[in-house]
Amino acid sequence: MSTPILYRQLADHYLSAIQAGTLACGERMPSVRKLMQLHHISLSTALQMCRYLEAQGWLEARPRSGYFVRQPRRMNLAPAAEPRPVKRIDPAQFVGIHERVSAIIAQGQRQVKVNLARATGAPELYPHQQLRQLTSSILRQHPYLLTKAISPGGNRELRAALAKRALDVGISTRADEVVITHGCIEALNLALRAVAHAGDVIAVESPTFYGLLQVLESLGMKALEIPTSPHTGISIEALELAMQTYDNIKAVVVVPHLQNPLGSIMPDTHKQRLVSLCEAQHIPLIEDDSYSALCNADNIPTACKHWDKSGNVIYCASLHKIMAPGLRIGWMLAGRWQARVDMFKYAQTRYNEELSQKVAAAFLQSTHYDRHLRRLRVTLRQQREKMAEAIARYFPEGTRFSMPDGGVSIWVEMPAYCSSQAVFDAALEQGILISPGLLYSNSNRFDHFLRINCGTHYSEELDAAMRNLGLIVAHQKPRKAVA
Amino acid sequence: MSTPILYRQLADHYLSAIQAGTLACGERMPSVRKLMQLHHISLSTALQMCRYLEAQGWLEARPRSGYFVRQPRRMNLAPAAEPRPVKRIDPAQFVGIHERVSAIIAQGQRQVKVNLARATGAPELYPHQQLRQLTSSILRQHPYLLTKAISPGGNRELRAALAKRALDVGISTRADEVVITHGCIEALNLALRAVAHAGDVIAVESPTFYGLLQVLESLGMKALEIPTSPHTGISIEALELAMQTYDNIKAVVVVPHLQNPLGSIMPDTHKQRLVSLCEAQHIPLIEDDSYSALCNADNIPTACKHWDKSGNVIYCASLHKIMAPGLRIGWMLAGRWQARVDMFKYAQTRYNEELSQKVAAAFLQSTHYDRHLRRLRVTLRQQREKMAEAIARYFPEGTRFSMPDGGVSIWVEMPAYCSSQAVFDAALEQGILISPGLLYSNSNRFDHFLRINCGTHYSEELDAAMRNLGLIVAHQKPRKAVA
Ligand SMILES: Cc1ncc(COP(=O)(O)O)c(C=O)c1O
Ligand SMILES: Cc1ncc(COP(=O)(O)O)c(C=O)c1O
């Protein structure tokens, strides 16, 4: 039996102990030394097990005192399940996610008191004051900025600032390779249009961000959904199998860091294997890195693009979720499709407005940016914990989730008989907007999931909303078999 | 012989007299009564003839004194030719305008002293100060505007203000039918994607705005170029013939008012016929109305969309050229394709930034907007006249152009042996950027044309540039037949 499986078995063992109350919240775990003795394991296996439970949110490391059990209220919640091992790949699906999403969005326009459907933090979490000041001062310096035709190619300073920021995720690039877009969503459109045509099959994570499914549908491309782990992201084995099964896969799209909705983070080894696999198969890899700056880790994780030797990876990102949800500034590095992407971008929307580009550039170049990110990460972590507690406290038995290692939301699995559409409808009646799991796949596989935003300060109003939401879920009844 | 042809014959007659110097600048034309006697024509034919020559810039009406000859320096310039009557429609072409345009744009990034290639007025011609003030005051009122996720659907006030403005061109619509886009260019993309697919043929004016040819190329659609008059716009006869010849035309795109590059304005009767023809043939009509607010006329002309009974016309417009070249705000009314367009817009770029939308809405709602437009029209008219004089003065014999009835540019026909690429290159050597005719068609039909911007105050520097440009054109040599 190989070590990785051993540590997971042990983790399960301790998890049951925690869930059974044998190890209560606040209690100290056996020391690493003790674990080694008890189970006849190596130091590294013992550490691996503890870190695994820590990543899951069940343990907390305290400097010089070892690991402690935490989050008692989550005790009745098992972690979200890994996808079942792949036997057969679902045939590529194309069922029209757009209608579902439009209906949900249209309903969400009604009077909403508590919005738990967002994929950003609350406005106060972003540097509104500095951005406002920069806007005013840039307009003072450039009085004709709003009435001057935009110079071609995107703002030079912004492209340079983003090229510099790309170093944080291990990418070295030049300003003139950076294409500024209207959000990451336009970057994904341009990337897909550059490498594929209507009718082509695109491999995506499952579940995945519904925006991506919409883009594919609007471009007439077909999504092939690949099983994806809430911990380690897309299954490389399943992807490999899919590539053997289908010969018309024209691209792979992944969100390696804080995947939406799972919150998973791909280990570096997986990212490397993915890059090599795609390169070997001559299939372009599109990397959507919208969230990596929101990872808890002190070091922002390394992008897939870092391992790209041949320009086969198209890197897409955005400032929308990490710096300014009111600005529509995305960007991309298009690898060997740069000329094509430049052409599509120009023909599709020309360039972004100069004012927002200049504001973003000035903020990125300042020391405020890093300070803002550090603060944002801490705040989001605290808010995720509050929300996790609330879910654990208010949701019925059988609810499961994994604590993501960063980001703005939690992906919650309700008992299998729940319908996210029914929960959505009932919640909306009470002015609570949630993002139902049915949006995250063309199949019905995630109909008993919800994505819950953690970007808002945990107030009494929010607590009341979570309690109501828990009651709504608890009132869902197992469907009776029809006689 | 029917009247329309008679008045044109007479106009030619008087034009020769003017060009020969028989009727000198400042001289009074025979009175309308005199013309009736002289040529045995009706009052209406006499008036038609005078107004025609007036529209061409050769006559000037003075209240209570009749018509006077004007613009002596333009005397050596014949008006631009009408397209030759159509015998055979060119097969749909798809030769890759994009490479030409990219090369031209890339070259134009070099140090340019005088930019005559723009399709907007100079920054000073737009309400920079008011837009700046509105920006600051809106940011004060809404401190979180830059950090708040954009609410779905586009800004309500802006959509309402644009719906109201649509009344000016004879369209009654509702705010919720207005789709806000990133410039008119995105509107054209969305319109074309809504009604056609890769491989389809789209009928366009010839010459046409190269941006449209790029959009078609990027979407894999084929442009079928329909002869277009510098006076009355697209030839309805030629279009009808094309529809009989090709059964795969999936849309018609026209710029009915101040067509780019011709400056032509379609008469109302033509617009009505066009709308009926497209409806009868079940071919969607896409109307690009980017410039109508810049027409000289006191009344903004009526949009094709006005005559649309069945939702077959998609109306696209923009504030980019008429209000704020620094804002990328376009808009559209998608007729019976609204749901499809909404979906494509959301999946392609989400919504425009809230700040620019609010600024635009506030300005449109104010009394400043109409005042701005009135002033802009007067200024542009004066500048066009100065430029026309300069062309007449400095360009060699054989140069021809028609004075457009509004807008920001003049379309100049050089002697047939000139190459717009050669002129472009030589001008750029001297820091002068022009827009070469070769960009305006997939064929080589307009290689001896230039589009010259008139949006800048006529300074000594500009005069020097025009003189140099005239010399460059004059130095072009007829190509010798190869032995
Ligand atoms: C994974 C992912 N990619 C892209 C987007 C869209 O990003 P943007 O708002 O920058 O267009 C989102 C937004 O929800 C997302 O979650
Ligand atoms: C006829 C026409 N349509 C559309 C456009 C593009 O408009 P916008 O800048 O609003 O995207 C232009 C710009 O040159 C144009 O001349």
Side-chain angles (χ1 to χ4, degrees):
Chain A
M1 201 177 278
S2 74
T3 315
I5 293 172
L6 184 53
Y7 88 82
R8 287 287 284 275
Q9 283 183 328
L10 273 175
D12 279 348
H13 171 76
Y14 280 97
L15 195 52
S16 339
I18 295 171
Q19 288 178 319
T22 316
L23 276 170
C25 173
E27 266 190 272
R28 194 174 184 284
M29 269 287 279
S31 72
V32 169
R33 194 166 311 223
K34 184 75 182 262
L35 289 170
M36 289 165 66
Q37 286 170 5
L38 275 173
H39 304 286
H40 307 286
I41 52 173
S42 69
L43 172 66
S44 99
T45 305
L47 278 173
Q48 226 172 344
M49 193 269 286
C50 293
R51 287 195 190 124
Y52 176 74
L53 286 174
E54 185 189 15
Q56 299 284 313
W58 297 100
L59 295 184
E60 176 176 27
R62 298 197 193 145
R64 279 180 303 273
S65 341
Y67 286 91
F68 289 77
V69 177
R70 65 199 281 269
Q71 296 291 4
R73 296 209 176 77
R74 217 184 297 149
M75 269 209 276
N76 60 340
L77 297 193
E82 289 287 323
R84 259 161 268 133
V86 211
K87 295 258 159 43
R88 196 180 55 79
I89 297 284
D90 273 355
Q93 303 216 28
F94 184 50
V95 302
I97 190 76
H98 212 289
E99 244 171 87
R100 293 184 190 187
V101 178
S102 305
I104 297 283
I105 289 179
Q107 285 174 279
Q109 310 254 19
R110 285 203 271 155
Q111 200 47 52
V112 167
K113 277 179 291 186
V114 179
N115 188 341
L116 299 173
R118 287 204 197 92
T120 56
E124 316 82 72
L125 300 193
Y126 299 93
H128 50 94
Q129 198 181 341
Q130 283 139 351
L131 293 174
R132 232 163 39 230
Q133 282 165 356
L134 285 172
T135 306
S136 303
S137 92
I138 286 168
L139 276 180
R140 263 195 311 275
Q141 281 167 54
H142 305 275
Y144 291 111
L145 208 57
L146 300 176
T147 62
K148 215 177 89 181
I150 297 159
S151 51
N155 179 275
R156 188 81 209 163
E157 299 127 63
L158 179 57
R159 295 166 84 194
L162 289 169
K164 205 160 147 211
R165 285 290 161 187
L167 290 171
D168 296 347
V169 291
I171 302 174
S172 28
T173 186
R174 297 189 322 264
D176 60 7
E177 291 177 326
V178 174
V179 181
I180 309 291
T181 60
H182 292 290
C184 185
I185 206 74
E186 188 179 34
L188 291 171
N189 270 270
L190 296 171
L192 285 162
R193 290 181 60 197
V195 303
H197 292 100
D200 287 340
V201 171
I202 310 296
V204 303
E205 296 153 319
S206 186
T208 192
F209 163 49
Y210 59 82
L212 176 60
L213 297 175
Q214 291 177 303
V215 171
L216 293 176
E217 179 169 341
S218 74
L219 296 174
M221 298 173 188
K222 297 190 174 73
L224 177 65
E225 301 188 14
I226 307 292
T228 300
S229 152
H231 305 293
T232 55
I234 195 165
S235 157
I236 311 284
E237 290 70 27
L239 181 63
E240 224 164 344
L241 185 56
M243 287 175 175
Q244 285 156 19
T245 316
Y246 291 88
D247 59 3
N248 57 347
I249 298 179
K250 286 293 151 55
V252 177
V253 185
V254 294
V255 183
H257 310 123
L258 299 175
Q259 201 262 7
N260 179 357
L262 290 170
S264 53
I265 297 180
M266 287 177 72
D268 282 354
T269 50
H270 284 222
K271 287 183 262 182
Q272 283 178 58
R273 278 174 63 200
L274 179 62
V275 171
S276 312
L277 175 63
C278 288
E279 183 166 350
Q281 300 284 330
H282 304 290
I283 298 177
L285 176 61
I286 299 172
E287 172 176 31
D288 172 349
D289 200 26
S290 295
Y291 294 99
S292 62
L294 303 186
C295 285
N296 278 343
D298 295 326
N299 301 315
I300 297 180
T302 305
C304 293
K305 180 82 184 158
H306 168 76
W307 290 281
D308 178 26
K309 299 273 176 300
S310 61
N312 193 51
V313 178
I314 302 184
Y315 180 83
C316 303
S318 171
L319 300 177
H320 183 245
K321 299 173 196 291
I322 61 176
M323 194 181 108
L327 298 183
R328 292 293 303 143
I329 295 187
W331 58 288
M332 66 195 292
L333 301 168
R336 54 199 171 88
W337 293 275
Q338 167 135 27
R340 240 173 114 68
V341 162
D342 279 342
M343 156 184 164
F344 285 141
K345 167 64 179 157
Y346 184 76
Q348 182 162 296
T349 54
R350 298 283 184 270
Y351 304 107
N352 288 48
E353 291 171 2
E354 198 85 33
L355 177 57
S356 359
Q357 290 193 73
K358 275 192 184 293
V359 169
F363 190 76
L364 283 174
Q365 285 161 349
S366 73
T367 53
H368 293 301
Y369 179 65
D370 280 316
R371 220 174 305 148
H372 153 67
L373 279 188
R374 271 195 302 274
R375 206 177 301 151
L376 178 61
R377 280 194 284 257
V378 171
T379 311
L380 286 178
R381 178 174 205 150
Q382 289 161 351
Q383 291 180 181
R384 278 193 312 273
E385 288 180 358
K386 294 271 193 198
M387 286 301 269
E389 273 178 49
I391 296 166
R393 189 183 307 130
Y394 297 128
F395 276 50
E397 210 170 330
T399 302
R400 306 168 6 137
F401 70 88
S402 299
M403 189 66 171
D405 214 9
V408 286
S409 32
I410 296 181
W411 180 238
V412 180
E413 183 173 6
M414 303 179 289
Y417 55 80
C418 292
S419 143
S420 61
Q421 175 77 61
V423 171
F424 174 87
D425 291 339
L428 199 56
E429 282 299 315
Q430 305 193 22
I432 304 168
L433 191 69
I434 53 127
S435 190
L438 60 90
L439 296 182
Y440 295 85
S441 166
N442 283 330
S443 78
N444 297 318
R445 225 172 287 149
F446 303 99
D447 276 8
H448 61 297
F449 283 80
L450 305 175
R451 194 193 66 187
I452 297 191
N453 178 263
C454 309
T456 307
H457 174 69
Y458 200 81
S459 60
E460 282 188 20
E461 187 189 21
L462 186 49
D463 188 65
M466 290 302 289
R467 191 170 49 229
N468 286 341
L469 192 58
L471 286 173
I472 290 168
V473 176
H475 275 99
Q476 296 271 306
K477 285 276 161 340
R479 270 154 274 180
K480 297 236 174 63
V482 182
Chain B
M1 198 178 279
S2 72
T3 314
I5 293 173
L6 184 54
Y7 89 81
R8 288 287 286 273
Q9 283 182 328
L10 273 174
D12 280 347
H13 170 77
Y14 280 97
L15 195 52
S16 338
I18 295 170
Q19 288 178 321
T22 316
L23 276 169
C25 172
E27 264 190 89
R28 197 175 184 281
M29 269 287 279
S31 72
V32 170
R33 195 165 311 221
K34 185 72 182 262
L35 289 170
M36 288 164 67
Q37 285 171 6
L38 274 172
H39 304 286
H40 308 285
I41 52 173
S42 68
L43 172 65
S44 97
T45 306
L47 278 172
Q48 228 174 344
M49 193 270 287
C50 291
R51 288 194 190 125
Y52 177 72
L53 286 174
E54 185 189 14
Q56 298 282 314
W58 296 101
L59 294 185
E60 176 176 27
R62 297 197 193 145
R64 281 180 300 276
S65 345
Y67 285 92
F68 289 78
V69 177
R70 66 197 281 270
Q71 297 287 6
R73 295 208 178 78
R74 216 185 297 152
M75 270 209 275
N76 59 342
L77 297 194
E82 291 285 324
R84 259 161 269 133
V86 210
K87 294 258 159 43
R88 198 180 55 77
I89 298 284
D90 272 356
Q93 303 218 28
F94 184 50
V95 302
I97 191 76
H98 211 288
E99 242 171 87
R100 291 187 192 184
V101 179
S102 305
I104 295 284
I105 289 179
Q107 285 174 279
Q109 311 252 22
R110 284 205 270 156
Q111 199 50 50
V112 168
K113 276 178 290 183
V114 179
N115 187 340
L116 299 173
R118 289 205 195 93
T120 56
E124 316 84 70
L125 301 193
Y126 299 93
H128 50 94
Q129 201 182 340
Q130 283 138 351
L131 293 174
R132 231 162 39 229
Q133 281 164 355
L134 285 171
T135 306
S136 303
S137 91
I138 287 167
L139 275 180
R140 263 195 311 275
Q141 281 166 53
H142 305 275
Y144 292 110
L145 208 57
L146 300 176
T147 62
K148 215 177 90 180
I150 297 159
S151 50
N155 180 274
R156 188 81 209 163
E157 300 127 63
L158 178 58
R159 295 166 85 195
L162 289 169
K164 205 159 146 213
R165 285 289 161 189
L167 290 172
D168 297 346
V169 292
I171 303 174
S172 28
T173 186
R174 297 190 322 264
D176 61 7
E177 292 176 327
V178 174
V179 181
I180 308 291
T181 60
H182 291 291
C184 185
I185 206 75
E186 188 180 35
L188 291 171
N189 270 271
L190 297 171
L192 285 162
R193 289 181 61 197
V195 302
H197 292 100
D200 288 339
V201 171
I202 311 296
V204 303
E205 296 154 319
S206 186
T208 192
F209 163 49
Y210 59 81
L212 176 60
L213 296 175
Q214 291 178 301
V215 172
L216 293 176
E217 178 169 341
S218 75
L219 296 174
M221 298 173 188
K222 297 191 172 73
L224 177 65
E225 301 188 13
I226 307 293
T228 301
S229 153
H231 306 293
T232 55
I234 195 166
S235 158
I236 312 284
E237 290 72 26
L239 181 61
E240 227 165 341
L241 184 58
M243 287 175 175
Q244 286 155 19
T245 315
Y246 292 89
D247 60 3
N248 57 347
I249 298 179
K250 287 293 151 52
V252 177
V253 185
V254 294
V255 183
H257 309 124
L258 299 175
Q259 201 262 6
N260 180 358
L262 290 171
S264 53
I265 297 180
M266 287 177 74
D268 281 355
T269 50
H270 284 221
K271 286 182 262 182
Q272 283 178 57
R273 278 175 63 200
L274 179 62
V275 171
S276 312
L277 175 64
C278 288
E279 184 166 349
Q281 301 283 330
H282 304 289
I283 298 177
L285 175 61
I286 299 172
E287 172 176 31
D288 173 347
D289 200 26
S290 295
Y291 293 99
S292 61
L294 303 185
C295 286
N296 278 342
D298 295 327
N299 302 314
I300 297 179
T302 305
C304 294
K305 180 82 183 158
H306 169 75
W307 290 283
D308 178 25
K309 300 271 174 301
S310 61
N312 194 50
V313 178
I314 302 183
Y315 180 83
C316 304
S318 171
L319 299 177
H320 183 245
K321 293 160 202 301
I322 61 178
M323 194 181 107
L327 299 183
R328 293 292 305 142
I329 295 187
W331 59 289
M332 67 195 291
L333 301 169
R336 54 200 172 87
W337 292 275
Q338 167 136 27
R340 241 174 113 68
V341 162
D342 279 342
M343 156 185 165
F344 285 142
K345 167 62 178 157
Y346 184 75
Q348 184 163 293
T349 54
R350 297 282 184 272
Y351 304 106
N352 289 48
E353 290 170 3
E354 198 84 33
L355 176 58
S356 359
Q357 291 193 74
K358 274 191 185 295
V359 169
F363 189 76
L364 283 174
Q365 285 161 349
S366 75
T367 54
H368 293 301
Y369 180 65
D370 280 314
R371 218 174 307 150
H372 154 67
L373 279 187
R374 272 196 300 276
R375 206 176 302 150
L376 179 60
R377 280 195 284 259
V378 170
T379 311
L380 285 178
R381 178 175 206 147
Q382 289 160 352
Q383 290 180 184
R384 278 193 312 273
E385 288 180 359
K386 294 270 192 199
M387 287 302 268
E389 273 178 49
I391 296 165
R393 189 183 306 130
Y394 296 129
F395 277 49
E397 210 171 330
T399 302
R400 306 169 2 138
F401 69 88
S402 299
M403 188 68 172
D405 214 10
V408 287
S409 33
I410 297 181
W411 179 239
V412 180
E413 182 172 7
M414 302 179 287
Y417 54 80
C418 291
S419 142
S420 61
Q421 176 77 60
V423 171
F424 174 87
D425 291 338
L428 199 57
E429 283 299 316
Q430 304 193 24
I432 305 168
L433 190 68
I434 53 128
S435 190
L438 59 91
L439 296 182
Y440 295 85
S441 167
N442 281 331
S443 79
N444 296 317
R445 227 172 284 149
F446 303 99
D447 276 7
H448 62 296
F449 284 79
L450 306 175
R451 193 192 66 186
I452 297 191
N453 178 263
C454 308
T456 306
H457 174 69
Y458 200 82
S459 61
E460 281 190 20
E461 188 189 20
L462 186 49
D463 187 66
M466 290 302 289
R467 192 170 50 229
N468 286 341
L469 191 57
L471 286 172
I472 288 168
V473 176
H475 275 99
Q476 297 270 305
K477 285 277 161 334
R479 268 153 275 179
K480 296 238 176 61
V482 182

